[in-house]
Amino acid sequence: MDRIPIIKVGDFLLVSIQVDMHDRLVMSLQDDLTTQVVKARAKGVLIDISSLDVVDSFIGRMLGNMASMTRVLGAEAVVVGMRPAVATTIVELGLSLTNVRTALDVDKGMAVLRALVNPAGDEGGHGSGQN
Amino acid sequence: MGPGRTETFPLRTDEDVLRVRQTVRIWMVEQRTFSLVEQTKMVTATSELGRNVVVHGGGGTARLELLSEGGRLGIRVTFQDQGPGIASIEQASRDGFTTGDGLGLGLGGSKRLVDDFEIASEVGKGTRVTITKWK
Amino acid sequence: MTTSRQSRIAEILTRHEKPILEEWLREQLDALTARQDLISESDLRIQSAEFLGLFTSACRAGSLTDITTVEWKPVQDFLAGVSRSRALQGFSPSETATVVFSLKQPLFARLRKELGADAAALADEMWTATVLLDKLGLYTTEVFQKAREEVIKRQQLEMLELSTPVVKLWDGVLAVPLIGTLDSVRTQVVMDNLLQSIVETGSTIAIVDITGVPTVDTLVAQHLLKTVSAARLMGAQCIISGIRPQIAQTIVQLGVEFGDVVTKASLADALAHAFRLIGCTVTRQAPRA
Ligand SMILES: Nc1ncnc2c1ncn2[C@@H]1O[C@H](COP(=O)(O)OP(=O)(O)O)[C@@H](O)[C@H]1O
Ligand SMILES: [Mg+2]
């Protein structure tokens, strides 16, 4: 695979990373995503990493970048599904990703996005990320 | 296959880094004794140091070894390049220090993820980093 | 090789492998009469034949005085395997070392038969064989000891897991009540259990209660913070409760940054906070009598 698919779901974009990515693939995803956020006038981005069994500092930095860039473009981003072993490892590596919002799974991530995009609506979701 | 197994891989491109880290995962899974967290830590350290060889060292090799020492099982990866070398290992290992545009967590972070970490580098000659995870 | 005379041990072993094996097996079976419950005769036969094969090749290829060379690696690995499995099966260290020591009798008998005429040569060869087998025997004991230590360590870990249960307090709310001294290993076990439970139960809030923890040092505080960070990366929020005044003082004195981690004085406060976060309200039906 030479591109990670980005799917539009209503006002949101869903990126589901299903393969172990080499660095160039990571970079192209970053480019594609920012382009798509603008083109689709997306209000939120959901990045599902539940299939990833390794997140190193490069992928970690990319996740942080995608979250920040999305925010700069006026949308919200949530990273969902990080595995326990991956979380333990990247904390030890020294990566904190404090600017990235997170949620347990796609459903909860969607709830977080809806609550962020439409704070008046009674969605009941909550983000655990700090800004 | 068990202890005594060794294999050397080239490290020139992104894909090479990917292949090496995936092979480390497979070898560790096959041994059936490393926990998921231990595997993930070793694979992540391999990814960091493999990338360093490609990005900073101008390419090189990764040698994988399965070891048994006094009944202990281990997996070791040796990263070797003939690149510019590192002037101050102490400085390079500090979290956040980078001469490129990385996060500067590769050396310091990898060291925390493995059981043994050895680094030897000479300016103008190259760098060798060896990491081992024991069970 | 440094021995003045070329040793004939390898050659003798090679030529008489079969009878030596049979005699050796008999020796072992005698020594192990009480242990037929732990290892069957056929297993012992397979094991012994394999060892003798490896031993003979190593004697042929390598030094007879140094068992740390590569030629002896297969022998060492094999013995390590045997020692480990015997340690786990419940053999004693001396029963394990007997595997090697019991080879002396048949080997010496053979040497005597072959070299009987040359007393000096016989003495030399017996000495070489004794030292060699003693080294291998000691090696089995070393590995045995290590394997036992590992068993103990694993049992300790299992106990730790039992002593740090993760409980579900409410839909989406987990708690880990920690009791006793926290060291790095235990904190790591707690962390792994907690993160796993978060995924399994789909909980977004985890309360780590340290009311029962007597002291918190820098390392433990850092471990707690790592747990909080890892949980956050997965999409769950941690609340640390039960921080007694004394521990609060230590934490501040140690200069550990608890930053934006939510801390509460008691488990009850933490639960109330958790309810607020998930939008639950608790109301009393009737005034208490
Ligand atoms: N193999 C290598 N050859 C030369 N320099 C290296 C090598 N590995 C690391 N370095 C140097 O050490 C610094 C820190 O490395 P690291 O901690 O991996 O952070 P990063 O790769 O993000 O810069 C690098 O920026 C580089 O200057
Ligand atoms: Mg690096």
Side-chain angles (χ1 to χ4, degrees):
Chain A
M1 196 192 295
D2 52 10
R3 274 287 194 276
I4 305 283
I6 299 171
I7 301 157
K8 191 165 188 292
V9 185
D11 284 341
F12 303 141
L13 295 179
L14 175 63
V15 185
S16 183
I17 303 173
Q18 299 289 338
V19 291
D20 195 7
M21 301 176 289
H22 59 72
D23 295 2
R24 269 179 294 106
L25 188 55
V26 173
M27 294 304 290
S28 63
L29 172 60
Q30 197 171 296
D31 288 346
D32 290 353
L33 186 66
T34 43
T35 312
Q36 285 296 316
V37 168
V38 176
K39 222 170 105 187
R41 290 205 207 99
K43 293 195 173 131
V45 172
L46 203 96
I47 305 165
D48 179 9
I49 60 166
S50 58
S51 296
L52 285 191
D53 61 9
V54 50
V55 171
D56 61 9
S57 68
F58 192 85
I59 300 174
R61 180 169 61 135
M62 176 275 301
L63 292 173
N65 285 351
M66 292 203 297
S68 306
M69 289 171 184
T70 306
R71 207 164 299 138
V72 169
L73 294 171
E76 299 288 344
V78 181
V79 170
V80 307
M82 185 181 290
R83 297 183 183 185
V86 171
T88 303
T89 299
I90 68 177
V91 167
E92 201 63 49
L93 187 64
L95 211 58
S96 47
L97 299 180
T98 41
N99 66 328
V100 177
R101 274 176 204 284
T102 53
L104 281 180
D105 52 36
V106 172
D107 278 352
K108 291 196 168 68
M110 281 291 185
V112 171
L113 278 183
R114 271 186 233 115
L116 284 170
V117 168
N118 179 20
D122 225 358
E123 292 287 354
H126 63 89
S128 53
Q130 294 108 26
N131 287 312
Chain B
M1 266 207 275
R5 181 178 185 184
T6 67
E7 208 172 328
T8 301
F9 296 84
L11 278 174
R12 311 230 148 259
T13 65
D14 294 359
E15 284 89 347
D16 291 342
V17 177
L18 199 70
R19 188 171 62 223
V20 170
R21 77 171 179 229
Q22 285 171 349
T23 309
V24 168
R25 170 80 70 178
I26 292 167
W27 284 28
M28 289 181 91
V29 169
E30 279 174 3
Q31 297 311 304
R32 290 162 183 271
T33 55
F34 292 101
S35 74
L36 193 57
V37 172
E38 287 163 339
Q39 290 167 27
T40 309
K41 287 184 173 175
M42 186 69 179
V43 170
T44 307
T46 301
S47 187
E48 294 295 335
L49 298 169
R51 176 176 303 106
N52 280 358
V53 168
V54 173
V55 173
H56 305 298
T61 54
R63 181 176 135 92
L64 274 60
E65 287 171 90
L66 280 182
L67 317 160
S68 110
E69 226 179 71
R72 233 175 18 152
L73 184 77
I75 179 164
R76 174 171 294 162
V77 187
T78 306
F79 302 87
Q80 176 106 47
D81 65 60
Q82 272 78 47
I86 302 171
S88 165
I89 290 173
E90 196 249 323
Q91 182 183 47
S93 305
R94 220 172 287 147
D95 279 359
F97 177 85
T98 178
T99 55
D101 64 348
L103 291 176
L105 292 174
L107 289 178
S110 305
K111 196 171 179 172
R112 287 189 290 271
L113 295 177
V114 298
D115 296 322
D116 296 342
F117 182 97
E118 278 165 45
I119 178 165
S121 187
E122 205 177 319
V123 173
K125 289 251 172 71
T127 303
R128 188 180 64 231
V129 184
T130 305
I131 54 173
T132 316
K133 196 102 189 151
W134 293 105
K135 190 69 206 187
Chain C
M1 232 175 283
T2 49
T3 31
S4 50
R5 203 191 327 241
Q6 184 69 32
S7 168
R8 290 187 52 205
I9 293 178
E11 171 229 316
I12 291 170
L13 273 170
T14 312
R15 267 198 295 128
H16 305 284
E17 194 164 335
K18 262 220 105 80
I20 292 176
L21 175 64
E22 291 308 321
E23 270 170 62
W24 181 34
L25 261 176
R26 226 169 313 140
E27 288 285 330
Q28 291 189 75
L29 287 171
D30 283 350
L32 286 175
T33 36
R35 293 317 214 162
Q36 303 273 330
D37 54 323
L38 295 181
I39 187 162
S40 73
E41 193 179 329
S42 61
D43 281 350
L44 191 65
R45 174 174 287 278
I46 295 169
Q47 223 176 54
S48 304
E50 189 176 348
F51 176 77
L52 201 57
L54 293 171
F55 181 69
T56 306
S57 330
C59 286
R60 254 197 315 250
S63 152
L64 293 178
T65 51
D66 182 6
I67 62 162
T68 60
T69 58
V70 282
E71 292 85 3
W72 285 95
K73 189 105 184 18
V75 175
Q76 284 210 351
D77 287 344
F78 180 81
L79 282 180
V82 171
S83 301
R84 286 175 148 274
S85 65
R86 290 204 166 194
L88 302 181
Q89 282 170 319
F91 281 93
S92 74
S94 59
E95 280 167 335
T96 305
T98 301
V99 175
V100 175
F101 292 143
S102 59
L103 182 55
K104 282 184 184 176
Q105 176 66 22
L107 180 59
F108 289 1
R110 218 15 92 169
L111 289 176
R112 231 175 283 122
K113 229 181 249 171
E114 297 287 320
L115 302 168
D118 184 350
L122 180 60
D124 269 3
E125 296 285 30
M126 296 259 269
W127 177 246
T128 307
T130 302
V131 173
L132 178 60
L133 288 174
D134 284 354
K135 277 184 188 159
L136 291 172
L138 284 178
Y139 176 74
T140 61
T141 316
E142 245 169 63
V143 175
F144 184 93
Q145 202 59 39
K146 257 192 214 146
R148 287 309 288 250
E149 275 162 23
E150 277 162 29
V151 171
I152 293 169
K153 244 197 265 167
R154 209 191 45 233
Q155 284 169 343
Q156 277 172 342
L157 264 183
E158 279 162 10
M159 300 244 304
L160 284 178
E161 269 166 45
L162 289 178
S163 65
T164 51
V166 180
V167 293
K168 185 169 167 178
L169 288 186
W170 199 262
D171 200 27
V173 184
L174 293 179
V176 207
L178 293 175
I179 294 161
T181 310
L182 282 183
D183 57 17
S184 303
V185 180
R186 179 150 180 236
T187 320
Q188 183 69 48
V189 173
V190 173
M191 173 160 164
D192 291 350
N193 279 353
L194 179 61
L195 300 183
Q196 199 52 49
S197 307
I198 286 173
V199 175
E200 280 162 14
T201 59
S203 300
T204 51
I205 296 167
I207 302 170
V208 180
D209 183 69
I210 59 170
T211 311
V213 177
T215 55
V216 169
D217 60 13
T218 319
L219 217 60
V220 170
Q222 277 167 355
H223 269 300
L224 285 173
L225 286 178
K226 282 181 192 168
T227 310
V228 174
S229 305
R232 197 196 72 76
L233 285 168
M234 291 168 52
Q237 195 182 338
C238 282
I239 303 168
I240 298 182
S241 68
I243 302 190
R244 284 172 290 120
Q246 197 196 337
I247 290 183
Q249 280 183 26
T250 326
I251 289 172
V252 173
Q253 275 157 14
L254 291 172
V256 180
E257 273 293 336
F258 260 57
D260 21 50
V261 176
V262 179
T263 51
K264 294 285 166 195
S266 71
L267 184 55
D269 292 340
L271 186 58
H273 184 75
F275 280 153
R276 236 180 343 261
L277 287 175
I278 59 172
C280 260
T281 44
V282 182
T283 50
R284 193 169 281 139
Q285 286 290 335
R288 220 184 329 213

